[in-house]
Amino acid sequence: MRRNYRRGKEGRGWSSHKRSHHPHGHRRPSHSNRAESLEQEEPQTTVNAGPSSSEDPSSSSSMQNSVAPELPGFYYDPEKNRYFRLLPGHNNHNPLTKDSIQHKAMECKRLRLLEEEEKQKKTTRAGLNSSVLLQKRQLGLLSSTSYCRLVHELKVNCMQRRKIEIHSPDSSVAGTNNFKIIVADVACERIFTVNDVEHGGCKYGIINLSGLGKESLTVEMYDNLYFTNRKVNSVCWASLTHPDSHVLLCLMGIAETPGCASLLPASLFSSTNPGDRPGMLCSFKISTAWSCAWCLNPQADNCFSTGLTRRVLVTNVVTGHRQTFGTSSDVLAQQFATQTPVLYNGCRSGEIFSIDVRQRNRKGQSWKATRLFHGSAVTSIHLMEAEHYLMAADMAGKIKLWDLRTAKCVKQYKGHHNEYALLPLHVNEEEGLLIAVGQDCYTRIWSLQDAHLLRTIPSPHPSSKDAIPSVVFSSRLGGSRGVPGLLMAVKQDLYHFSYN
């Protein structure tokens, strides 16, 4: 009797025509009914591999999972229409492991999407051009919501990637270490960069964006770079003597070395413009610092906050006065309101709460004002300009827009991917866009107004946990006369996506 399996190059493979009520595929039917059962089941099997074209191209093959059931210890290949045995992952020479299969599938999707983007450079979606949209709007054929969303979709889908040349006084430094974080100042004239160093630790510095012109794509790295053997968890710009005059860093502790928060003058990174350079203006040792925020409200002038393990620490740089607020969970994300001296915090427990920093420390947690709840650890929060709404993302990949007046979720932005990383949100209300980079290394852009996913941008480099892009979006990269677009830092490269 012929067996219903065969060997493949990667390992032993089973046809997906196996009987569904034997999930492990090892039970043999009796000789009397075996041939009959195979003949009956053969025509019933249909396999549809891969997602439809309307789905997010970076998403997992949910359709595949629904048609071909997952068998413990086996992998289903939709192209070959067969199951293959998974081999133990501890042996580096094994050709087929769960991680290698997932990486291969992700890489195939990334390359396919990059190829599609190359083809779309010369063409846009049929019927999607500015003159047609304007004409339809004037004729009343499009609502204002649809018109705004389609204009955003048109502009976002016309964005094209170009590599930026980074000039550095020290040629041995530029382009040698992977970008980890880039954060732009308010005017988008500079970005603060954090790069991983091969032997461990980080280096950080400032890049001047003034060279970003319509023709030229060149930026200049400041002279002075600084190194640390600790991991940089969080960064924000601080306005102490003038707008964005300083940079606030939160460093994670290692071994017996505790974490610390440091407030550094931006002039420290430039030899040509020394200015007032007091070195580390404010630095103190703390437990692990997960997040930080600078307050721009005059009622809490010269104050910054650090989100720690189970507490929030608010410090006045000038007086040195500190306030501590105990929490029940680690504080992973923070932002101050500008209209009031209120600090919003996102926690590992999924709770979001606010603190009015004018009040004194209280026992317990009676000082908590607004309280919202996510089902997973909150990794990023963004207070909208009018300060009636707050955007939050969590480790389950959920992005929600909350109405702070009613404490209810009013919108969800679907498609984001996250499992355990601290990934930021980028909101540009002027253009009506929400941007987030997922743990799968895809950059997704949504319409703020109707939560429609406008575009999914693949990384120019193969996906990996140490190659998650860091992005900045602005209508004026390089200052008031700068160019609009998206900056993407990944591996050792910096890219510009034009937004016209």
Side-chain angles (χ1 to χ4, degrees), residues 351-379:
E351 181 184 14
I352 300 171
F353 62 87
S354 63
I355 303 171
D356 189 330
V357 296
R358 291 170 295 188
Q359 61 188 329
R360 294 185 177 181
N361 304 24
R362 299 181 189 175
K363 293 182 179 180
Q365 297 181 18
S366 59
W367 40 263
K368 289 185 178 180
T370 304
R371 299 185 74 179
L372 312 170
F373 296 92
H374 274 239
S376 182
V378 176
T379 61

PDB file of all heavy atoms in Angstrom, residues 351-379:
ATOM      1  N   GLU A 351      -2.335  50.823  32.133  1.00  0.00           N
ATOM      2  CA  GLU A 351      -3.033  52.008  32.643  1.00  0.00           C
ATOM      3  C   GLU A 351      -2.385  53.283  32.111  1.00  0.00           C
ATOM      4  O   GLU A 351      -1.167  53.377  31.954  1.00  0.00           O
ATOM      5  CB  GLU A 351      -3.003  52.025  34.171  1.00  0.00           C
ATOM      6  CG  GLU A 351      -3.737  53.223  34.777  1.00  0.00           C
ATOM      7  CD  GLU A 351      -3.616  53.301  36.289  1.00  0.00           C
ATOM      8  OE1 GLU A 351      -2.763  52.589  36.853  1.00  0.00           O
ATOM      9  OE2 GLU A 351      -4.370  54.079  36.899  1.00  0.00           O
ATOM     10  N   ILE A 352      -3.229  54.280  31.813  1.00  0.00           N
ATOM     11  CA  ILE A 352      -2.785  55.636  31.482  1.00  0.00           C
ATOM     12  C   ILE A 352      -3.416  56.565  32.525  1.00  0.00           C
ATOM     13  O   ILE A 352      -4.630  56.513  32.748  1.00  0.00           O
ATOM     14  CB  ILE A 352      -3.229  56.051  30.071  1.00  0.00           C
ATOM     15  CG1 ILE A 352      -2.650  55.094  29.018  1.00  0.00           C
ATOM     16  CG2 ILE A 352      -2.798  57.478  29.757  1.00  0.00           C
ATOM     17  CD1 ILE A 352      -3.220  55.299  27.628  1.00  0.00           C
ATOM     18  N   PHE A 353      -2.595  57.390  33.162  1.00  0.00           N
ATOM     19  CA  PHE A 353      -3.141  58.303  34.169  1.00  0.00           C
ATOM     20  C   PHE A 353      -2.430  59.647  34.077  1.00  0.00           C
ATOM     21  O   PHE A 353      -1.340  59.753  33.506  1.00  0.00           O
ATOM     22  CB  PHE A 353      -3.006  57.730  35.579  1.00  0.00           C
ATOM     23  CG  PHE A 353      -1.584  57.509  36.021  1.00  0.00           C
ATOM     24  CD1 PHE A 353      -0.852  58.522  36.626  1.00  0.00           C
ATOM     25  CD2 PHE A 353      -0.968  56.285  35.830  1.00  0.00           C
ATOM     26  CE1 PHE A 353       0.462  58.335  37.018  1.00  0.00           C
ATOM     27  CE2 PHE A 353       0.343  56.080  36.229  1.00  0.00           C
ATOM     28  CZ  PHE A 353       1.059  57.101  36.820  1.00  0.00           C
ATOM     29  N   SER A 354      -3.043  60.672  34.628  1.00  0.00           N
ATOM     30  CA  SER A 354      -2.458  62.014  34.618  1.00  0.00           C
ATOM     31  C   SER A 354      -2.156  62.477  36.038  1.00  0.00           C
ATOM     32  O   SER A 354      -2.786  62.030  37.007  1.00  0.00           O
ATOM     33  CB  SER A 354      -3.403  63.012  33.935  1.00  0.00           C
ATOM     34  OG  SER A 354      -4.620  63.117  34.653  1.00  0.00           O
ATOM     35  N   ILE A 355      -1.171  63.371  36.133  1.00  0.00           N
ATOM     36  CA  ILE A 355      -0.767  63.961  37.416  1.00  0.00           C
ATOM     37  C   ILE A 355      -0.720  65.470  37.256  1.00  0.00           C
ATOM     38  O   ILE A 355      -0.100  65.976  36.318  1.00  0.00           O
ATOM     39  CB  ILE A 355       0.638  63.484  37.844  1.00  0.00           C
ATOM     40  CG1 ILE A 355       0.708  61.969  37.940  1.00  0.00           C
ATOM     41  CG2 ILE A 355       1.054  64.128  39.157  1.00  0.00           C
ATOM     42  CD1 ILE A 355       2.122  61.449  38.145  1.00  0.00           C
ATOM     43  N   ASP A 356      -1.355  66.200  38.157  1.00  0.00           N
ATOM     44  CA  ASP A 356      -1.183  67.652  38.227  1.00  0.00           C
ATOM     45  C   ASP A 356       0.023  67.907  39.110  1.00  0.00           C
ATOM     46  O   ASP A 356      -0.012  67.663  40.324  1.00  0.00           O
ATOM     47  CB  ASP A 356      -2.437  68.307  38.810  1.00  0.00           C
ATOM     48  CG  ASP A 356      -2.398  69.826  38.711  1.00  0.00           C
ATOM     49  OD1 ASP A 356      -1.287  70.399  38.741  1.00  0.00           O
ATOM     50  OD2 ASP A 356      -3.465  70.456  38.586  1.00  0.00           O
ATOM     51  N   VAL A 357       1.132  68.362  38.513  1.00  0.00           N
ATOM     52  CA  VAL A 357       2.391  68.460  39.260  1.00  0.00           C
ATOM     53  C   VAL A 357       2.402  69.620  40.257  1.00  0.00           C
ATOM     54  O   VAL A 357       3.370  69.765  41.015  1.00  0.00           O
ATOM     55  CB  VAL A 357       3.581  68.598  38.284  1.00  0.00           C
ATOM     56  CG1 VAL A 357       3.710  67.353  37.425  1.00  0.00           C
ATOM     57  CG2 VAL A 357       3.458  69.850  37.427  1.00  0.00           C
ATOM     58  N   ARG A 358       1.338  70.430  40.303  1.00  0.00           N
ATOM     59  CA  ARG A 358       1.276  71.511  41.290  1.00  0.00           C
ATOM     60  C   ARG A 358       0.944  70.977  42.672  1.00  0.00           C
ATOM     61  O   ARG A 358       1.230  71.628  43.677  1.00  0.00           O
ATOM     62  CB  ARG A 358       0.223  72.545  40.866  1.00  0.00           C
ATOM     63  CG  ARG A 358       0.596  73.337  39.629  1.00  0.00           C
ATOM     64  CD  ARG A 358      -0.563  74.164  39.132  1.00  0.00           C
ATOM     65  NE  ARG A 358      -1.666  73.318  38.668  1.00  0.00           N
ATOM     66  CZ  ARG A 358      -2.749  73.780  38.033  1.00  0.00           C
ATOM     67  NH1 ARG A 358      -2.853  75.082  37.794  1.00  0.00           N
ATOM     68  NH2 ARG A 358      -3.703  72.959  37.641  1.00  0.00           N
ATOM     69  N   GLN A 359       0.318  69.813  42.736  1.00  0.00           N
ATOM     70  CA  GLN A 359      -0.059  69.262  44.033  1.00  0.00           C
ATOM     71  C   GLN A 359       1.133  68.593  44.705  1.00  0.00           C
ATOM     72  O   GLN A 359       2.072  68.138  44.050  1.00  0.00           O
ATOM     73  CB  GLN A 359      -1.189  68.242  43.862  1.00  0.00           C
ATOM     74  CG  GLN A 359      -0.823  67.047  43.000  1.00  0.00           C
ATOM     75  CD  GLN A 359      -2.029  66.176  42.718  1.00  0.00           C
ATOM     76  OE1 GLN A 359      -2.929  66.093  43.523  1.00  0.00           O
ATOM     77  NE2 GLN A 359      -2.036  65.533  41.566  1.00  0.00           N
ATOM     78  N   ARG A 360       1.076  68.544  46.010  1.00  0.00           N
ATOM     79  CA  ARG A 360       2.146  67.905  46.750  1.00  0.00           C
ATOM     80  C   ARG A 360       1.942  66.388  46.755  1.00  0.00           C
ATOM     81  O   ARG A 360       0.861  65.891  46.457  1.00  0.00           O
ATOM     82  CB  ARG A 360       2.172  68.426  48.192  1.00  0.00           C
ATOM     83  CG  ARG A 360       2.548  69.906  48.276  1.00  0.00           C
ATOM     84  CD  ARG A 360       2.668  70.334  49.724  1.00  0.00           C
ATOM     85  NE  ARG A 360       3.104  71.723  49.831  1.00  0.00           N
ATOM     86  CZ  ARG A 360       3.304  72.338  50.994  1.00  0.00           C
ATOM     87  NH1 ARG A 360       3.102  71.689  52.126  1.00  0.00           N
ATOM     88  NH2 ARG A 360       3.700  73.604  51.010  1.00  0.00           N
ATOM     89  N   ASN A 361       2.992  65.707  47.130  1.00  0.00           N
ATOM     90  CA  ASN A 361       2.912  64.249  47.203  1.00  0.00           C
ATOM     91  C   ASN A 361       1.810  63.832  48.176  1.00  0.00           C
ATOM     92  O   ASN A 361       1.652  64.412  49.242  1.00  0.00           O
ATOM     93  CB  ASN A 361       4.244  63.657  47.689  1.00  0.00           C
ATOM     94  CG  ASN A 361       5.403  64.086  46.817  1.00  0.00           C
ATOM     95  OD1 ASN A 361       5.335  65.119  46.164  1.00  0.00           O
ATOM     96  ND2 ASN A 361       6.450  63.305  46.819  1.00  0.00           N
ATOM     97  N   ARG A 362       1.075  62.825  47.775  1.00  0.00           N
ATOM     98  CA  ARG A 362       0.036  62.298  48.654  1.00  0.00           C
ATOM     99  C   ARG A 362       0.285  60.811  48.876  1.00  0.00           C
ATOM    100  O   ARG A 362       0.866  60.147  48.040  1.00  0.00           O
ATOM    101  CB  ARG A 362      -1.350  62.468  48.028  1.00  0.00           C
ATOM    102  CG  ARG A 362      -1.751  63.912  47.766  1.00  0.00           C
ATOM    103  CD  ARG A 362      -3.154  63.937  47.179  1.00  0.00           C
ATOM    104  NE  ARG A 362      -3.532  65.258  46.717  1.00  0.00           N
ATOM    105  CZ  ARG A 362      -4.677  65.519  46.074  1.00  0.00           C
ATOM    106  NH1 ARG A 362      -5.526  64.532  45.829  1.00  0.00           N
ATOM    107  NH2 ARG A 362      -4.966  66.739  45.686  1.00  0.00           N
ATOM    108  N   LYS A 363      -0.177  60.330  50.014  1.00  0.00           N
ATOM    109  CA  LYS A 363      -0.070  58.909  50.263  1.00  0.00           C
ATOM    110  C   LYS A 363      -1.055  58.166  49.364  1.00  0.00           C
ATOM    111  O   LYS A 363      -2.116  58.667  49.045  1.00  0.00           O
ATOM    112  CB  LYS A 363      -0.360  58.608  51.736  1.00  0.00           C
ATOM    113  CG  LYS A 363       0.700  59.157  52.681  1.00  0.00           C
ATOM    114  CD  LYS A 363       0.389  58.790  54.114  1.00  0.00           C
ATOM    115  CE  LYS A 363       1.466  59.328  55.050  1.00  0.00           C
ATOM    116  NZ  LYS A 363       1.182  58.986  56.465  1.00  0.00           N
ATOM    117  N   GLY A 364      -0.695  56.946  48.993  1.00  0.00           N
ATOM    118  CA  GLY A 364      -1.550  56.189  48.086  1.00  0.00           C
ATOM    119  C   GLY A 364      -1.450  56.747  46.681  1.00  0.00           C
ATOM    120  O   GLY A 364      -0.419  57.275  46.285  1.00  0.00           O
ATOM    121  N   GLN A 365      -2.521  56.622  45.941  1.00  0.00           N
ATOM    122  CA  GLN A 365      -2.543  57.106  44.562  1.00  0.00           C
ATOM    123  C   GLN A 365      -3.770  57.980  44.315  1.00  0.00           C
ATOM    124  O   GLN A 365      -4.336  57.995  43.231  1.00  0.00           O
ATOM    125  CB  GLN A 365      -2.513  55.918  43.604  1.00  0.00           C
ATOM    126  CG  GLN A 365      -1.239  55.090  43.728  1.00  0.00           C
ATOM    127  CD  GLN A 365      -1.202  53.926  42.768  1.00  0.00           C
ATOM    128  OE1 GLN A 365      -1.940  53.897  41.791  1.00  0.00           O
ATOM    129  NE2 GLN A 365      -0.348  52.958  43.034  1.00  0.00           N
ATOM    130  N   SER A 366      -4.171  58.754  45.321  1.00  0.00           N
ATOM    131  CA  SER A 366      -5.347  59.613  45.191  1.00  0.00           C
ATOM    132  C   SER A 366      -5.088  60.801  44.279  1.00  0.00           C
ATOM    133  O   SER A 366      -6.017  61.502  43.886  1.00  0.00           O
ATOM    134  CB  SER A 366      -5.787  60.110  46.576  1.00  0.00           C
ATOM    135  OG  SER A 366      -4.732  60.832  47.194  1.00  0.00           O
ATOM    136  N   TRP A 367      -3.827  61.032  43.909  1.00  0.00           N
ATOM    137  CA  TRP A 367      -3.480  62.155  43.039  1.00  0.00           C
ATOM    138  C   TRP A 367      -3.763  61.861  41.570  1.00  0.00           C
ATOM    139  O   TRP A 367      -3.674  62.741  40.728  1.00  0.00           O
ATOM    140  CB  TRP A 367      -2.009  62.518  43.214  1.00  0.00           C
ATOM    141  CG  TRP A 367      -1.119  61.337  43.356  1.00  0.00           C
ATOM    142  CD1 TRP A 367      -0.653  60.792  44.513  1.00  0.00           C
ATOM    143  CD2 TRP A 367      -0.617  60.517  42.303  1.00  0.00           C
ATOM    144  NE1 TRP A 367       0.116  59.687  44.251  1.00  0.00           N
ATOM    145  CE2 TRP A 367       0.162  59.494  42.892  1.00  0.00           C
ATOM    146  CE3 TRP A 367      -0.744  60.549  40.917  1.00  0.00           C
ATOM    147  CZ2 TRP A 367       0.791  58.514  42.158  1.00  0.00           C
ATOM    148  CZ3 TRP A 367      -0.106  59.569  40.177  1.00  0.00           C
ATOM    149  CH2 TRP A 367       0.649  58.570  40.794  1.00  0.00           C
ATOM    150  N   LYS A 368      -4.076  60.629  41.234  1.00  0.00           N
ATOM    151  CA  LYS A 368      -4.348  60.291  39.834  1.00  0.00           C
ATOM    152  C   LYS A 368      -5.639  60.954  39.381  1.00  0.00           C
ATOM    153  O   LYS A 368      -6.678  60.838  40.038  1.00  0.00           O
ATOM    154  CB  LYS A 368      -4.459  58.777  39.655  1.00  0.00           C
ATOM    155  CG  LYS A 368      -3.133  58.046  39.788  1.00  0.00           C
ATOM    156  CD  LYS A 368      -3.301  56.567  39.480  1.00  0.00           C
ATOM    157  CE  LYS A 368      -1.983  55.833  39.558  1.00  0.00           C
ATOM    158  NZ  LYS A 368      -2.134  54.385  39.270  1.00  0.00           N
ATOM    159  N   ALA A 369      -5.574  61.619  38.237  1.00  0.00           N
ATOM    160  CA  ALA A 369      -6.768  62.281  37.693  1.00  0.00           C
ATOM    161  C   ALA A 369      -7.364  61.385  36.602  1.00  0.00           C
ATOM    162  O   ALA A 369      -7.982  60.373  36.899  1.00  0.00           O
ATOM    163  CB  ALA A 369      -6.408  63.655  37.163  1.00  0.00           C
ATOM    164  N   THR A 370      -7.166  61.749  35.330  1.00  0.00           N
ATOM    165  CA  THR A 370      -7.667  60.940  34.224  1.00  0.00           C
ATOM    166  C   THR A 370      -7.085  59.530  34.295  1.00  0.00           C
ATOM    167  O   THR A 370      -5.887  59.351  34.490  1.00  0.00           O
ATOM    168  CB  THR A 370      -7.284  61.582  32.879  1.00  0.00           C
ATOM    169  OG1 THR A 370      -7.772  62.921  32.854  1.00  0.00           O
ATOM    170  CG2 THR A 370      -7.861  60.793  31.708  1.00  0.00           C
ATOM    171  N   ARG A 371      -7.940  58.525  34.116  1.00  0.00           N
ATOM    172  CA  ARG A 371      -7.469  57.138  34.118  1.00  0.00           C
ATOM    173  C   ARG A 371      -8.098  56.394  32.944  1.00  0.00           C
ATOM    174  O   ARG A 371      -9.310  56.318  32.814  1.00  0.00           O
ATOM    175  CB  ARG A 371      -7.803  56.445  35.440  1.00  0.00           C
ATOM    176  CG  ARG A 371      -7.156  57.086  36.651  1.00  0.00           C
ATOM    177  CD  ARG A 371      -7.408  56.313  37.928  1.00  0.00           C
ATOM    178  NE  ARG A 371      -6.608  55.088  37.973  1.00  0.00           N
ATOM    179  CZ  ARG A 371      -6.641  54.239  39.014  1.00  0.00           C
ATOM    180  NH1 ARG A 371      -7.412  54.499  40.056  1.00  0.00           N
ATOM    181  NH2 ARG A 371      -5.896  53.152  39.000  1.00  0.00           N
ATOM    182  N   LEU A 372      -7.232  55.857  32.083  1.00  0.00           N
ATOM    183  CA  LEU A 372      -7.651  55.070  30.926  1.00  0.00           C
ATOM    184  C   LEU A 372      -6.943  53.724  31.001  1.00  0.00           C
ATOM    185  O   LEU A 372      -5.933  53.588  31.685  1.00  0.00           O
ATOM    186  CB  LEU A 372      -7.269  55.785  29.623  1.00  0.00           C
ATOM    187  CG  LEU A 372      -7.627  57.263  29.516  1.00  0.00           C
ATOM    188  CD1 LEU A 372      -6.958  57.877  28.288  1.00  0.00           C
ATOM    189  CD2 LEU A 372      -9.136  57.447  29.450  1.00  0.00           C
ATOM    190  N   PHE A 373      -7.482  52.731  30.273  1.00  0.00           N
ATOM    191  CA  PHE A 373      -6.910  51.394  30.388  1.00  0.00           C
ATOM    192  C   PHE A 373      -6.808  50.704  29.030  1.00  0.00           C
ATOM    193  O   PHE A 373      -7.779  50.629  28.282  1.00  0.00           O
ATOM    194  CB  PHE A 373      -7.752  50.537  31.344  1.00  0.00           C
ATOM    195  CG  PHE A 373      -7.757  51.046  32.759  1.00  0.00           C
ATOM    196  CD1 PHE A 373      -8.750  51.928  33.185  1.00  0.00           C
ATOM    197  CD2 PHE A 373      -6.763  50.678  33.653  1.00  0.00           C
ATOM    198  CE1 PHE A 373      -8.763  52.414  34.483  1.00  0.00           C
ATOM    199  CE2 PHE A 373      -6.761  51.158  34.953  1.00  0.00           C
ATOM    200  CZ  PHE A 373      -7.762  52.021  35.370  1.00  0.00           C
ATOM    201  N   HIS A 374      -5.592  50.209  28.748  1.00  0.00           N
ATOM    202  CA  HIS A 374      -5.340  49.343  27.601  1.00  0.00           C
ATOM    203  C   HIS A 374      -5.208  47.909  28.101  1.00  0.00           C
ATOM    204  O   HIS A 374      -4.955  47.671  29.290  1.00  0.00           O
ATOM    205  CB  HIS A 374      -4.056  49.756  26.885  1.00  0.00           C
ATOM    206  CG  HIS A 374      -4.247  50.836  25.873  1.00  0.00           C
ATOM    207  ND1 HIS A 374      -3.928  50.691  24.544  1.00  0.00           N
ATOM    208  CD2 HIS A 374      -4.737  52.095  25.989  1.00  0.00           C
ATOM    209  CE1 HIS A 374      -4.211  51.805  23.896  1.00  0.00           C
ATOM    210  NE2 HIS A 374      -4.695  52.686  24.753  1.00  0.00           N
ATOM    211  N   GLY A 375      -5.319  46.971  27.182  1.00  0.00           N
ATOM    212  CA  GLY A 375      -5.204  45.569  27.557  1.00  0.00           C
ATOM    213  C   GLY A 375      -3.779  45.072  27.608  1.00  0.00           C
ATOM    214  O   GLY A 375      -3.531  43.922  27.959  1.00  0.00           O
ATOM    215  N   SER A 376      -2.820  45.926  27.252  1.00  0.00           N
ATOM    216  CA  SER A 376      -1.416  45.536  27.239  1.00  0.00           C
ATOM    217  C   SER A 376      -0.566  46.751  27.615  1.00  0.00           C
ATOM    218  O   SER A 376      -1.075  47.861  27.743  1.00  0.00           O
ATOM    219  CB  SER A 376      -1.036  45.018  25.847  1.00  0.00           C
ATOM    220  OG  SER A 376       0.307  44.594  25.809  1.00  0.00           O
ATOM    221  N   ALA A 377       0.736  46.519  27.788  1.00  0.00           N
ATOM    222  CA  ALA A 377       1.647  47.586  28.207  1.00  0.00           C
ATOM    223  C   ALA A 377       1.629  48.746  27.221  1.00  0.00           C
ATOM    224  O   ALA A 377       1.751  48.549  26.012  1.00  0.00           O
ATOM    225  CB  ALA A 377       3.069  47.033  28.327  1.00  0.00           C
ATOM    226  N   VAL A 378       1.487  49.958  27.733  1.00  0.00           N
ATOM    227  CA  VAL A 378       1.429  51.163  26.902  1.00  0.00           C
ATOM    228  C   VAL A 378       2.853  51.597  26.580  1.00  0.00           C
ATOM    229  O   VAL A 378       3.654  51.864  27.478  1.00  0.00           O
ATOM    230  CB  VAL A 378       0.661  52.295  27.616  1.00  0.00           C
ATOM    231  CG1 VAL A 378       0.696  53.576  26.792  1.00  0.00           C
ATOM    232  CG2 VAL A 378      -0.778  51.875  27.877  1.00  0.00           C
ATOM    233  N   THR A 379       3.175  51.671  25.296  1.00  0.00           N
ATOM    234  CA  THR A 379       4.544  51.975  24.861  1.00  0.00           C
ATOM    235  C   THR A 379       4.735  53.414  24.410  1.00  0.00           C
ATOM    236  O   THR A 379       5.861  53.899  24.366  1.00  0.00           O
ATOM    237  CB  THR A 379       4.940  51.045  23.711  1.00  0.00           C
ATOM    238  OG1 THR A 379       4.035  51.256  22.611  1.00  0.00           O
ATOM    239  CG2 THR A 379       4.863  49.590  24.134  1.00  0.00           C
TER     240      THR A 379
END
